[in-house]
Amino acid sequence: SDEVITIGGIITDSLAAYVLAFKDFPGKNLLIFLALATLMIPSYVTLVPQYIIISKLKWLNTYQAQIVPFLASGMGITLFRSHFLSVSKELVESAKIDGASDFRIYSTIVMPIAKPIIATMTILKAMWSWNMYMWPLIVCKKVEMMPLQVSIGFFQGQNVTQWGLLCAGMTIAMLPLLIVFLCCQKFFVGGIQAGAVKG
């Protein structure tokens, strides 16, 4: 589920940002404001409404409940949009004149330029999804479907703690994020700066 959230989230955020950066439609400014507003709302405030929605959709104890609510993020949309606004509009317009579709412009022109933002969001989304604890614990009761971070807690009981298994589990849980960061670190700072250049 972590890989789906990371990859799916980057695709969702970048597509939404492309529309907000290059298209004009009624309510565009409101959507931009709402994307920014989500950054100001603490995650625990939305736990109950999210749980009610998931329950009505009958998604409890499913992977959808652990993935779908986190596919889009206000921060990702804002970073991608800010970076897309720095792309030369003449480049986009010339591609449209040549007959390129929006999806072709998105996939062959805009996204290749956005590598720093992609690397930044890969690290951030991997961290968010990999370190999720409270939400999977709320929506999932099946042990086999719980993420590693929740499962590690089972090694610590009220009277007995299995320190060997607990330490081994924490080491294994740390390795994937370390690998992702080492692969993307050279783009990370550049991505944060690039996303803050223009709004």
Side-chain angles (χ1 to χ4, degrees):
S1 64
D2 301 308
E3 299 85 359
V4 177
I5 291 175
T6 302
I7 297 171
I10 288 171
I11 294 171
T12 305
D13 289 347
S14 59
L15 284 171
Y18 177 87
V19 172
L20 293 176
F22 296 112
K23 298 293 181 182
D24 289 317
F25 55 89
K28 173 182 173 179
N29 291 331
L30 176 61
L31 290 176
I32 294 171
F33 172 77
L34 289 175
L36 287 169
T38 60
L39 302 177
M40 296 177 260
I41 301 173
S43 58
Y44 57 81
V45 172
T46 62
L47 281 178
V48 173
Q50 281 183 335
Y51 180 83
I52 292 172
I53 293 170
I54 293 298
S55 178
K56 287 185 179 296
L57 290 172
K58 301 186 187 316
W59 280 3
L60 294 177
N61 296 312
T62 64
Y63 287 114
Q64 299 98 291
Q66 300 182 51
I67 294 172
V68 174
F70 305 99
L71 283 179
S73 68
M75 183 175 185
I77 294 171
T78 303
L79 282 176
F80 273 111
R81 177 181 171 272
S82 297
H83 188 69
F84 291 166
L85 288 174
S86 67
V87 176
S88 171
K89 291 196 174 177
E90 289 79 11
L91 184 63
V92 175
E93 290 299 326
S94 63
K96 288 182 179 178
I97 292 171
D98 289 339
S101 64
D102 282 316
F103 184 75
R104 185 172 178 82
I105 294 170
Y106 163 82
S107 59
T108 61
I109 297 175
V110 176
M111 285 302 280
I113 300 174
K115 285 180 182 177
I117 304 297
I118 294 172
T120 301
M121 289 311 301
T122 298
I123 293 172
L124 294 177
K125 282 189 175 288
M127 286 174 56
W128 293 334
S129 61
W130 192 251
N131 291 325
M132 268 197 297
Y133 184 84
M134 184 65 70
W135 180 251
L137 201 60
I138 292 172
V139 298
C140 186
K141 303 301 180 189
K142 295 180 179 178
V143 177
E144 63 272 15
M145 296 180 67
M146 290 183 176
L148 181 60
Q149 285 67 23
V150 178
S151 302
I152 287 174
F154 296 145
F155 294 130
Q156 187 172 7
Q158 185 174 356
N159 300 312
V160 178
T161 299
Q162 302 180 54
W163 289 107
L165 294 175
L166 186 62
C167 291
M170 287 189 292
T171 303
I172 293 171
M174 181 184 69
L175 284 176
L177 283 183
L178 184 61
I179 293 169
V180 169
F181 181 76
L182 290 175
C183 292
C184 301
Q185 64 174 336
K186 65 179 181 178
F187 296 107
F188 184 70
V189 175
I192 292 292
Q193 291 174 344
V197 169
K198 189 174 182 179

